[in-house]
Each structure stands twice: as C-alpha cells, then as structure tokens.
C-alpha cells in the first residue's frame, strides 16, 4: 500500500464525549487536546476560547451546538474524538455522531449526577451498542458525591457501574484519584496544570475505601469472567493484567461500565481517563463486521474491517464551509480512501472522484493523501451527498444503514425584509437543512408563508442567528408555532370516484381506502396488496404517492396525519381512461372521506420535562406546571435541599418557560425538556385551533 498508517488498527479509538448540558464535556475535551500535545494552551468555555466550540453562537452562549471532531495521540494510540452537544434541541448531533463511533465517554456532574439529557444520550449509546466509560466530573465542587452518582447510574440508567477509581480528597480538597487496580494514589501537580502526576502510596484515611472499592471491582468481574471467578473462589488476588483483561472484555460486552472521576476544570483525572479509554474501549477490530445491502440485488453483504478490504464509508454529517465549500464528514469502515479514487453513492447512483481529503480538528483542517480503515475525516467537493449516505468503491458497491432523526416539533415563519431576497433566503435555508436533518422547511399552501421547523426554541433561535450572521440576510420571523399532528380515534373506510371528460378523452379512477388505527410512533404506512394484481405496478406506486401526499396535508386543519395504516381494499381500473394521475387524485379523495368517518383529532407534542430546584420552591413549581396542563410523574430529593421534578408537559405550554421559571425561583432552578410523544389536545383547544384555520 503506498501510504502508511499513523497507528496500527488495534491502537485506534473512535470515541464520543456525551453528557447533559453543562456537565463539562467541552472542558474535558480541551484538557485532552492539551495533554496530548494538540493544543499548547487550554481553552475555557466561560472565556469563549475553546477549540471545539468554534462557532460564534457556541462561544456567546457557552454551550455546544454542533458536534466537532478532532484527532490526537495518547502514547502509541490514535484517538479520534467527537465532542457532542448536551442540549436536547441538538440531540440529532449526538445521534449521528454515535452512529460512527466505537465507544463513548459519558460525563456526569459530581453534584447533579444523572440528569435528563444524561438518560437520553445513554439510551442513544445503548441503541447503537456502544461500550461506555463513565467520568464523574467536577469532584472539586461543593456537594460533589462520587458514590451517589455511581448509585444513580445504576438505578436511573439500569447499568452496572464499577468504579476503577475513587476520589483522593473531597470538594475543595480534591487533589487526585486512587487507582483501585494498581493500589496507588495519583496526585496532579497544579504548578504545571496537572501535566505531572505523582504516584504515591494510598493515604491511611483512604485505605478502607480503596480496599472496599477493589473488593467490589473483583466481585463484579467474577460474576462475568470465569478466570476471575476461579481466583475469587480460591481467595487468590488477580494480577493487574488479569483484571484489565476481564474489565475490557466485560466493557466491550456492555456488561459493566468502568467509572473514573476527576475535575477537568482543575486539571485532575484527565490522563487516567484517557488510559481507561485505550485500555477498555474498543478498537475498530473489536466491532462486528459491517453489514449492508448490495446495490442492485438487495441482498445482505458484510464488510470486514481492514485497509486492504473493498472501500466503504458512511457520511454522518454534511456542512457548508465558507472557504472550502461543502464538507462531507465520513467514517471509513473498510478499505482506504485515497485522493483521486473513483467512488459511487448507492443512494443516487452518482459516481465521483474523491478530491481533497481533510483531517479535521474542530474548524481547522489539514490535507491528507489517504484516510485509513477506522478513521474519521472529511471530503471536499462531493456535491451529491447527504447525511446517511454510503461512499464505496465501484467494483463492490454496498449501502450501509442510514440514520433516523426525530421529527421537528416547533416552527416559525420566516420572510425576507426585502422581496428581492426571496431566492437568497430559500438557498440559505436549503443549505442549513442539508447540514441539519432536523430542520424542516416548507411553505404553507394557504398563507404562502415559509415555515422553518426545529427541535425547540433554542434551535430556532440558532437558525435565525445563522441566517443573520453567516448569510447576511435581513429577515422577519414570526412567533414559534407548535408542529401539531392529526390522527383517527377509530377505524374507518372511504371510497372516491374521479371522473373527468377532457376533449373527448375520459379520465377515470375509483378507489376504496380503509384507515386503521396504530400505536404511538407508528407514523403512516400504506399497503396496496389487495389490488396489486389488478393494477399495473406504476399505478400502484402512483396510488401510494397520492395517499402519502394527502396524509402529509391532513384533513382537519392541514397538519400531517400520523399513527395509522392506509390500506387500498378495492379499485376500478379502465385501461383506456385510467392514468397514474387519476389514481393519485382518487386515492387522496378516498383518504379524506375515510378520515372524516374515523373521528379525526388533533395531536400535540408532549415534552418530557425535568426541573431541578431548591425544595423551597417545589410547591410553586408544581402548581405552575398544573396550570400549564403538565402531569407530574416523579419527584425526588437530592442532597437534602434540592428536588428533581419529572413530568409530561405540552410543548405549547413551554414557550417562554425558562424566563417564567427564573422569576418563580429567583433564578435558582433550571429545566430541560425533550420530545416524548403526541397526545390529543383537549376539545376546547382543538376548537380554537380549527377556528384559526
């Protein structure tokens, strides 16, 4: 092979940093870049100087909005890192990042513990089968409790957390960690920002905690590893090497979660965490063979990890760079991507040649001649590529499984101040929607307004800000609107006949459609099986298209239909008069009649809401949620004087809630919300919605 790898494949790690907002993900990543020599100074979130939060909007708000990739070397290992957002409005960034990662570091606040978005990203990691190492951050904070956070990981996330470290000191006196495998304490020298680590004997006052922690570690490993079980039953102390092997095997099998601790902001515990990453998280060789679909035949095919295998890569993100143009971020699963090599996109069938290949460090890039199996990089100049596409060699095409994104739940009207900027606005929105699949753009057929949909108020605020700054557009925006849906409350059927006479040529189609209720999250499915033998294949496809288009515009108030199945049960076809267009129109007419007979209702998005508040304000918060049609599902207290309230609240009632909550609690409470499901709106509210149509 003409190019040489930076590190052997078994020493490559692809990891993501994931957590609830403000748990310290970006600060941790900045320390990793400093200790691995990528950066020569530490960026701080509160100063807006971080490498990973490079967008203006991120630095102003102190939050991560878009996932950022970087690469570093730790010892003989090459570590590719993606720093993901913690705010629920940008959960799609986490989803598509986890799609191409082999492992993850879950960061938890030593005070806040497991929070709402912690659970969301944990579920996403488990869905993709990604092994996790936990890092309990902010151990220097007042109220930090390592064991309480470990208990929350076990109880709230259903995992088996196994500490491999315990904290050396508490709160202001936190100075390092105790390594339970090697039975030693590690202190970090503050004079050189924690670069120097002093390995010392475990202090007397920590001996009991270290002994208990190591015993628990061995017991947990004995339950999942036969070799450690033999040592345990024989009352023989396993070696450090045996414990590390068993710990790695159990982590890769998702049977346990190693737990480390530290304070990223105070430069303590980062290097031991990196060692845990390379010791316990998988290399590309540890993952299963990649399964995809063979282009043309539709048969399942496998790709093995390796530089000499047929090339296949997955595009997990597309961005528009002001200087480089369109960037397609991809993970190479098999083979090697070389500059100038021909590739094909199975989704479109389009062929191209790889132009510039870039190794990415946040918003800084360096050109590469080749990208190897297991690595993450970006390509310039692939115009006909979207998120979720596969790139592969011409000789052995394969299409990998894509990414499913949640539907946007809130929308706002956008219009240019100058009528001549209409095309510029449309192009800008198309570019943003291409970058972020959770941005929806459509035009209201009745009002002619251009509506932009997103995952929350902050999401829409960022879209508006980017239109103003990046695209230099002067725009007017309307108040955010809820993305309602429609569904039926009982099964029904409808039939419609489309008959027209145009210049002596008849146009005819007759269709009968049944509407069947389905469960939450089902969406809309269509079946034409009952008439497949009576209609040409093109007509069946046209009928399906007509039904789906009609379902997208609804019946009651123009909101998309959901959670139902549409079945074509009968049709009348006249070879000389029927066309694809007539069946598409007749299908839409029949659907409307069927839905009208099925007691259609309007659905509204319900948000799973978590509020953390001092107990003094608990009563006021519960009363306020009740006035917003919220339903409390759980209340628990933490650290004695802090309460957590979980509940389901309609999205329509949460507009402006952050401001109301600050006023209600003197700025001492915080909340997060994520889309949960849709529920029928009360009859009185439905009547108000229909009056506005």
């Amino acid at each position: 092979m003409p190019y040489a790898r930076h590190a052997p494949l078994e020493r490559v790690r692809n990891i993501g940093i994931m957590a609830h907002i403000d748990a310290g993900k970006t600060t941790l990543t900045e320390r990793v870049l400093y200790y691995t020599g990528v950066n020569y100074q530490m960026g701080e979130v509160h100063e807006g100087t971080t490498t990973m939060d490079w967008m203006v909007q991120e630095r102003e708000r102190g939050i991560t909005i878009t996932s950022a990739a970087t690469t570093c070397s730790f010892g003989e290992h090459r570590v590719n890192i993606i720093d993901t957002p913690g705010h629920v409005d940008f959960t799609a960034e986490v989803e598509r990042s986890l799609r191409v990662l082999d492992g993850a570091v879950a960061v938890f606040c030593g005070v806040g513990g497991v929070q709402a978005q912690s659970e969301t990203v944990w579920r996403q990691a488990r869905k993709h089968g990604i092994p996790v190492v936990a890092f309990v951050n902010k151990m220097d904070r007042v109220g930090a409790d390592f064991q309480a956070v470990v208990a929350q990981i076990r109880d709230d996330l259903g995992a088996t957390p196994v500490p491999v470290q315990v904290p050396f000191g508490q709160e202001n006196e936190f100075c390092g960690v105790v390594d339970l495998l090697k039975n030693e304490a590690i202190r970090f020298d503050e004079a050189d920002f924690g670069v120097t680590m002093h390995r010392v004997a475990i202090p007397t006052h920590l001996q009991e905690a270290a002994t208990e922690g190591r015993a628990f570690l061995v017991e947990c490993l004995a339950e999942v590893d036969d070799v450690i079980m033999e040592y345990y039953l024989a009352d023989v102390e396993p070696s450090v090497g045996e414990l590390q092997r068993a710990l790695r095997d159990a982590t890769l099998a998702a049977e346990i979660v190693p737990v480390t601790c530290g304070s990223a902001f105070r430069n303590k515990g980062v290097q031991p965490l990196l060692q845990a990453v390379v010791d316990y998280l998988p290399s590309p060789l540890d993952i299963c063979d990649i399964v995809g679909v063979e282009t043309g035949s539709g048969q399942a095919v496998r790709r093995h990890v390796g530089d000499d295998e047929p090339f296949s890569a997955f595009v997990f993100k597309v961005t528009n760079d002001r200087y480089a143009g369109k960037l397609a971020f991809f993970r190479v699963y098999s083979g090697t991507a070389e500059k100038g090599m021909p590739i094909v996109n199975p989704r479109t069938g389009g062929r191209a040649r790889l132009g510039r290949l870039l190794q990415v460090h946040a918003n800084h890039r360096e050109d590469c001649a080749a990208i190897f199996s297991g690595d993450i990089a970006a390509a310039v100049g692939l115009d006909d590529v979207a998120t979720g596409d596969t790139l592969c060699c011409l000789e052995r095409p394969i299409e990998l499984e894509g990414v499913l994104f949640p539907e946007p739940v809130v929308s706002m009207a956008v219009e240019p101040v100058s009528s001549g900027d209409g095309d510029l606005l449309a192009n800008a929105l198309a570019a943003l929607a291409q970058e972020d699949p959770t941005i929806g753009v459509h035009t209201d057929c009745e009002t002619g307004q251009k509506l932009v949909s997103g995952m929350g108020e902050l999401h829409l605020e960022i879209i508006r800000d980017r239109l103003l700054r990046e695209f230099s557009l002067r725009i007017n925006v309307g108040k955010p609107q809820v993305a309602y849906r429609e569904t039926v409350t009982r099964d029904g059927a409808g039939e419609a006949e489309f008959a027209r006479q145009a210049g002596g040529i008849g146009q005819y189609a007759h269709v009968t459609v049944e509407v069947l209720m389905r469960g939450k999250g089902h969406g809309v499915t269509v079946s034409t099986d009952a008439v497949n033998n009576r209609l040409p294949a093109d007509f069946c496809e046209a009928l399906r298209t007509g039904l789906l288009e009609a379902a997208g515009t609804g019946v009651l108030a123009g909101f998309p239909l959901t959670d139902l199945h549409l079945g074509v049960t009968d049709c009348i076809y006249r070879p000389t008069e029927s066309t694809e267009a007539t069946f598409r129109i007749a299908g839409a007419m029949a659907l409307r009649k069927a839905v009208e007979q099925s007691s259609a209702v309007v659905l509204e998005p319900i948000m799973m809401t978590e509020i953390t508040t001092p107990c003094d304000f608990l009563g006021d918060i519960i009363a306020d949620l009740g006035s917003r049609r919220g339903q409390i599902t759980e209340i628990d207290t933490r650290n004695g004087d802090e309460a957590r309230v979980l509940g389901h609240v309609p999205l329509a009632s949460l507009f402006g809630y952050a401001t109301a909550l600050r006023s209600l609690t003197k700025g001492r409470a915080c909340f997060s919300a994520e889309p949960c499901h849709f529920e029928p709106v009360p009859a009185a509210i439905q009547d108000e919605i229909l009056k506005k149509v």
Side-chain angles (χ1 to χ4, degrees), residues 481-596:
Q481 300 293 319
V482 177
Y484 292 102
R485 297 288 185 270
E486 297 177 15
T487 192
V488 296
T489 57
R490 64 168 184 251
D491 298 342
E495 61 177 317
E497 180 182 73
F498 178 79
R500 294 288 188 275
Q501 199 74 21
I505 301 175
Q507 294 182 328
Y508 183 84
H510 187 284
V511 176
T512 302
V513 174
E514 65 176 358
V515 177
L516 304 177
M517 296 171 56
R518 290 293 185 264
K520 292 178 181 178
H522 178 80
V524 178
T525 53
V526 178
S527 172
T528 60
D529 293 345
V531 298
N532 282 349
N533 60 343
R534 297 158 57 185
L535 282 177
D538 292 346
F539 282 62
C540 289
E541 186 60 33
L543 186 52
R544 288 175 53 86
T545 301
L547 290 172
L548 289 173
E549 288 177 351
T553 57
V555 173
L556 282 178
F559 304 123
L561 289 163
T562 189
D563 299 338
L564 47 81
H565 175 75
L566 308 177
V568 180
T569 58
D570 194 14
C571 71
I572 298 177
Y573 166 69
R574 296 177 181 174
T576 59
E577 298 181 354
S578 297
T579 64
E580 295 177 23
T582 61
F583 269 91
R584 186 165 61 248
I585 296 170
M589 294 167 58
L591 170 62
R592 175 171 290 275
K593 291 183 178 180
V595 171
E596 289 173 349

Side-chain angles (χ1 to χ4, degrees), residues 315-393:
V315 178
F316 67 95
K317 182 174 180 177
V318 174
T319 65
N320 292 284
D321 184 83
R322 180 177 298 180
Y323 305 105
K326 185 175 180 179
L327 293 179
F329 289 78
F330 62 93
R331 154 79 185 268
V332 179
Y333 280 102
S334 63
T336 303
E338 298 181 13
K339 185 176 180 179
M341 71 180 291
I343 58 167
V344 62
N345 180 349
R347 178 181 64 87
T348 64
R351 298 188 178 191
R353 286 188 179 272
L354 288 177
R356 292 178 63 195
L357 297 176
L358 304 176
Q359 187 66 65
V360 181
H361 300 282
N363 64 327
H364 302 290
R365 292 115 189 172
E366 58 184 67
D367 286 272
C368 297
I371 305 297
F372 300 96
S373 177
D375 283 342
I376 294 173
V380 179
L382 298 178
D383 295 328
D384 194 22
V385 169
T387 299
D389 281 353
T390 303
L391 306 178
C392 57
C393 59

